[in-house]
């Protein structure tokens, strides 16, 4: 079946460096993508989203890039801080059939920030 | 708003017992989702409701699982009888439905279920 997957399950970076978390998706019908951050013991928290008619979207210290040609999504975190340590999930919206509105989540990437 | 509220936060029960998880979505949100999270399978959508009506329950693992939404401010996920493999963190999420293109789901803190 179609699913969202992640290239790297774990990522360790030095405080102050930039982080890049990657995600591959296989459903070309997906039209909306979200990145979530999940800290230990908490529910996922929205970071940033992007629609399929966009290639790039920037937030505060975060940028999401979408490459529809290769079905690839990435999250860039600038000047990574210890508080960024968490598991990051990408999710795609299944825009087909009766599942419109559902999010399909990837397995997640754990980001560890070294002081 | 207090966000999505779930109770209990932790539940430990014995195999065969009935478990009921509760969720209060954000006021005004038309969609409510139940997810299960495990290390092996990640976040899995179990069921979701729109305006209190179940829309897609294809993710519900088996008949032991049932979910209800009697009104716009309350939903339950019930497991009867519970089994050790049901041990997981269960999340409830809600989102506004007025704009289908705005898809941010707000998650609750989760209920950690342990079935012995």
């Amino acid at each position: 079946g179609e699913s969202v997957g992640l290239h790297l399950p774990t990522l360790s970076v030095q405080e102050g460096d930039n982080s890049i978390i990657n995600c591959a998706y296989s459903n070309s019908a997906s039209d909306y993508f979200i990145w979530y951050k999940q800290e230990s013991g908490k529910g996922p928290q929205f970071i940033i989203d992007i629609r399929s008619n966009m290639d790039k979207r920037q937030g505060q210290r975060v940028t999401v890039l979408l490459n529809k040609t290769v079905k690839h999504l990435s999250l860039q975190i600038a000047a990574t801080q210890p508080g960024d340590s968490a598991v990051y999930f990408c999710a795609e919206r299944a825009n087909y059939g009766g599942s419109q509105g559902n999010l399909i989540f990837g397995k997640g990437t754990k980001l560890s920030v070294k002081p | 708003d207090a966000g999505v509220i779930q109770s209990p936060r932790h539940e430990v029960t014995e195999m065969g017992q009935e478990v009921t998880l509760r969720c209060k979505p954000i006021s005004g949100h038309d969609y409510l989702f139940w997810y299960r999270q495990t290390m092996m399978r990640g976040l899995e959508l179990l069921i979701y409701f729109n305006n209190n009506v179940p829309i897609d329950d294809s993710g519900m693992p088996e008949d032991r699982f049932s979910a209800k939404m009697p009104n716009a401010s309350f939903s339950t996920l019930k497991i009867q009888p519970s089994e050790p493999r049901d041990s997981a963190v269960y999340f409830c999420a809600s989102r506004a439905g007025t704009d289908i293109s705005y898809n941010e789901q707000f998650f609750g803190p989760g209920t950690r279920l342990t079935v012995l």
Side-chain angles (χ1 to χ4, degrees):
Chain A
E2 296 183 313
S3 64
V4 175
L6 289 163
H7 294 308
L8 299 174
T10 60
L11 178 64
S12 183
V13 300
Q14 202 70 37
E15 181 179 358
D17 288 350
N18 296 334
S19 303
I20 300 176
I21 302 172
N22 297 303
C23 177
Y25 66 95
S26 57
N27 185 355
S28 57
S30 294
D31 65 351
Y32 183 75
F33 305 87
I34 302 180
W35 280 100
Y36 279 88
K37 172 186 180 183
Q38 186 176 21
E39 296 174 279
S40 180
K42 298 182 179 179
Q45 181 182 16
F46 173 89
I47 302 174
I48 192 169
D49 60 355
I50 188 168
R51 292 181 173 83
S52 60
N53 60 354
M54 302 170 68
D55 297 322
K56 179 180 180 179
R57 189 164 189 221
Q58 287 184 294
Q60 188 175 14
R61 284 201 307 117
V62 295
T63 301
V64 56
L65 298 177
L66 176 63
N67 185 331
K68 294 181 288 294
T69 301
V70 295
K71 297 186 187 130
H72 185 267
L73 195 68
S74 69
L75 176 70
Q76 300 179 0
I77 304 173
T80 312
Q81 302 169 0
D84 295 327
S85 294
V87 176
Y88 290 80
F89 295 93
C90 64
E92 60 180 315
R93 182 174 75 171
N95 188 20
Y96 54 91
S99 298
Q100 189 176 44
N102 286 1
L103 291 178
I104 301 172
F105 285 82
K107 288 287 191 288
T109 292
K110 182 176 181 180
L111 176 65
S112 294
V113 182
K114 297 177 288 185
Chain B
D1 199 312
V4 176
I5 299 173
Q6 291 186 248
S7 65
R9 293 295 311 276
H10 303 274
E11 177 79 30
V12 180
T13 190
E14 293 186 344
M15 182 175 61
Q17 296 298 306
E18 178 180 293
V19 175
T20 299
L21 311 181
R22 298 172 175 82
C23 175
K24 177 176 168 37
I26 292 174
S27 177
H29 281 188
D30 297 333
Y31 286 81
L32 183 141
F33 303 81
W34 281 102
Y35 290 90
R36 178 172 67 176
Q37 186 178 43
T38 62
M39 289 295 293
M40 291 296 294
R41 301 171 71 95
L43 261 172
E44 301 175 278
L45 177 65
L46 300 177
I47 185 172
Y48 81 95
F49 296 82
N50 179 210
N51 292 321
N52 312 336
V53 176
I55 303 300
D56 185 352
D57 65 353
S58 59
M60 297 286 261
E62 38 193 288
D63 292 344
R64 298 184 296 106
F65 286 70
S66 63
K68 295 181 179 179
M69 192 166 185
N71 56 64
S73 60
F74 183 66
S75 178
T76 60
L77 177 67
K78 186 175 294 186
I79 308 172
Q80 166 64 17
S82 59
E83 297 182 2
R85 60 192 169 120
D86 301 331
S87 297
V89 181
Y90 291 81
F91 288 103
C92 176
S94 71
R95 74 166 176 90
T98 53
D99 178 359
I100 196 65
S101 66
Y102 183 65
N103 207 69
E104 180 184 351
Q105 293 182 15
F106 294 82
F107 282 77
T111 295
R112 180 174 294 277
L113 173 65
T114 302
V115 183
L116 304 174

